[in-house]
Amino acid sequence: MSELIIEPRFFDDLLTAETGIDLSKIEWYRKHLNDRCMHSWRIEYPGRVWRSPTTGEPLRECVSVHEYFRRLGLKDIKTNLRPEALRRYRYAAINPWGFVGYQLGEALLIETGHYRALRVAYRDENGRVKAVDSYYTGDLPAERWRQSARERCHRPYGKGDEILATDVNRWCGRFTGKDGLDSLAALKTPEVQEAVFRAALTHNLSRIRRRMSDASAELGCVIRDRSKLSVTEITLSGCLAAAHLCGADGLADYLLNGIEASDETGTTLCRYLQRFSGYAVRGEDKMCSAKKAGGYVVL
């Protein structure tokens, strides 16, 4: 597969959306630094969401700008509200589920070969002890985290080996050194994170194509009934953003079957398909726009 070359604006806009840090709002941030004017997820500490013990759902509340940034793990924001500082801060931001920067998490980096999961001993329901991988996966419903549960035996997306799923990305495994990623600190640097994220985009596109080709002997010509899809135009940049939000399989399920998905915060795949539609992408000529009235998507 040839290298994906995407216009820089795509990366800047996506990083803004993923972190919630908007460089165009610096003056607004300064003005409202101590005002309770931003909605935020309640946390125990940066990287660990606070859930309702009865429902397992994450909780939201209104906080000041300063507190909002503190919850992203950015403590010295009061003295660094400058464009150059915020650009680097976005890469270091960690959300309540432990995702970093572009919202990179353990499961994706395991797939791309940048990370290896922690191996743990687990006693199953029959009392047998076995070794399993332990990491965060986003497909468990919130109710599985009721009563302050933090680990659950789980088969990700109903296939493959069982794992001991964690309620957040803990980053207790091992970084492989691929693309210079040898630590969590390195992941929070712009240079390394950009390289890792580009590798993730290419990986996701490869997985989408594989799913699409499995569904049809003729690669790409698999979406003929557009009436089941709510998005009127599909573009490569939108697909890349949506796959990053909800996974390559989530995007494929939508394109093939009209099944919509969302991330932990409730942001929908369709929203990203629309929001990030139409950015210039070079290095790939196998995808065209498709209108709801007819045609098909080529991947």
Side-chain angles (χ1 to χ4, degrees):
M1 182 181 295
S2 57
E3 181 184 2
L4 281 172
I5 304 174
I6 312 173
E7 64 174 296
R9 188 169 56 94
F10 172 85
F11 295 98
D12 187 67
D13 290 350
L14 185 58
L15 191 54
T16 296
E18 294 292 280
T19 62
I21 300 175
D22 190 340
L23 300 184
S24 70
K25 293 184 176 180
I26 290 179
E27 290 304 319
W28 187 88
Y29 291 150
R30 288 172 177 160
K31 181 179 179 180
H32 298 284
L33 190 63
N34 297 308
D35 297 339
R36 294 170 61 88
C37 56
M38 298 188 73
H39 289 285
S40 175
W41 299 100
R42 186 180 299 181
I43 63 170
E44 294 182 40
Y45 52 82
R48 176 166 292 284
V49 67
W50 184 291
R51 299 176 182 272
S52 164
T54 55
T55 67
E57 293 286 349
L59 303 173
R60 289 177 67 90
E61 57 191 356
C62 193
V63 299
S64 68
V65 170
H66 178 250
E67 176 64 13
Y68 177 83
F69 279 94
R70 189 196 69 80
R71 293 186 181 194
L72 296 177
L74 309 174
K75 298 179 181 179
D76 57 347
I77 193 66
K78 284 187 176 182
T79 59
N80 282 293
L81 275 174
R82 302 186 306 275
E84 61 275 15
L86 285 186
R87 284 191 181 92
R88 295 190 69 87
Y89 275 150
R90 292 189 299 180
Y91 294 96
I94 183 165
N95 85 352
W97 288 266
F99 289 93
V100 178
Y102 279 108
Q103 306 304 277
L104 297 174
E106 293 173 301
L108 177 59
L109 298 194
I110 290 170
E111 291 180 6
T112 60
H114 291 91
Y115 182 78
R116 290 178 183 168
L118 177 68
R119 197 77 172 163
V120 299
Y122 177 75
R123 188 180 299 275
D124 65 19
E125 58 186 14
N126 297 316
R128 293 173 298 189
V129 177
K130 55 184 178 181
V132 297
D133 287 343
S134 180
Y135 60 90
Y136 176 80
T137 177
D139 64 316
L140 277 80
E143 63 188 30
R144 294 292 303 277
W145 304 117
R146 289 181 298 185
Q147 299 177 336
S148 303
R150 296 196 171 182
E151 295 178 338
R152 291 291 189 188
C153 189
H154 178 64
R155 196 179 303 277
Y157 300 97
K159 54 189 177 183
D161 296 330
E162 279 190 332
I163 68 169
L164 186 62
T166 56
D167 62 329
V168 297
N169 292 279
R170 295 181 181 175
W171 299 108
C172 293
R174 182 170 67 85
F175 294 94
T176 65
K178 183 179 179 181
D179 290 320
L181 181 54
D182 56 10
S183 66
L184 184 58
L187 182 59
K188 294 180 179 182
T189 64
E191 299 77 16
V192 172
Q193 191 174 133
E194 285 290 348
V196 172
F197 181 57
R198 281 164 170 76
L201 291 178
T202 301
H203 169 80
N204 278 339
L205 181 56
S206 177
R207 285 192 59 192
I208 297 164
R209 282 183 168 159
R210 188 160 56 248
R211 278 288 309 275
M212 303 292 269
S213 63
D214 287 346
S216 174
E218 185 177 0
L219 177 60
C221 304
V222 294
I223 304 175
R224 292 190 171 87
D225 181 9
R226 301 287 297 155
S227 62
K228 67 178 65 174
L229 304 186
S230 58
V231 176
T232 58
E233 184 175 12
I234 308 294
T235 69
L236 181 51
S237 60
C239 282
L240 291 172
H244 180 60
L245 180 78
C246 294
D249 287 329
L251 175 65
D253 286 340
Y254 175 73
L255 294 177
L256 292 169
N257 305 307
I259 300 173
E260 297 199 27
S262 61
D263 72 352
E264 291 86 347
T265 70
T267 303
T268 65
L269 180 151
C270 291
R271 180 180 178 186
Y272 264 41
L273 278 174
Q274 294 173 321
R275 182 172 181 178
F276 293 98
S277 174
Y279 289 78
V281 180
R282 291 186 292 125
E284 294 289 339
D285 58 2
K286 295 183 178 180
M287 184 165 188
C288 63
S289 297
K291 301 296 183 180
K292 189 173 182 179
Y296 54 80
V297 170
V298 179
L299 284 161

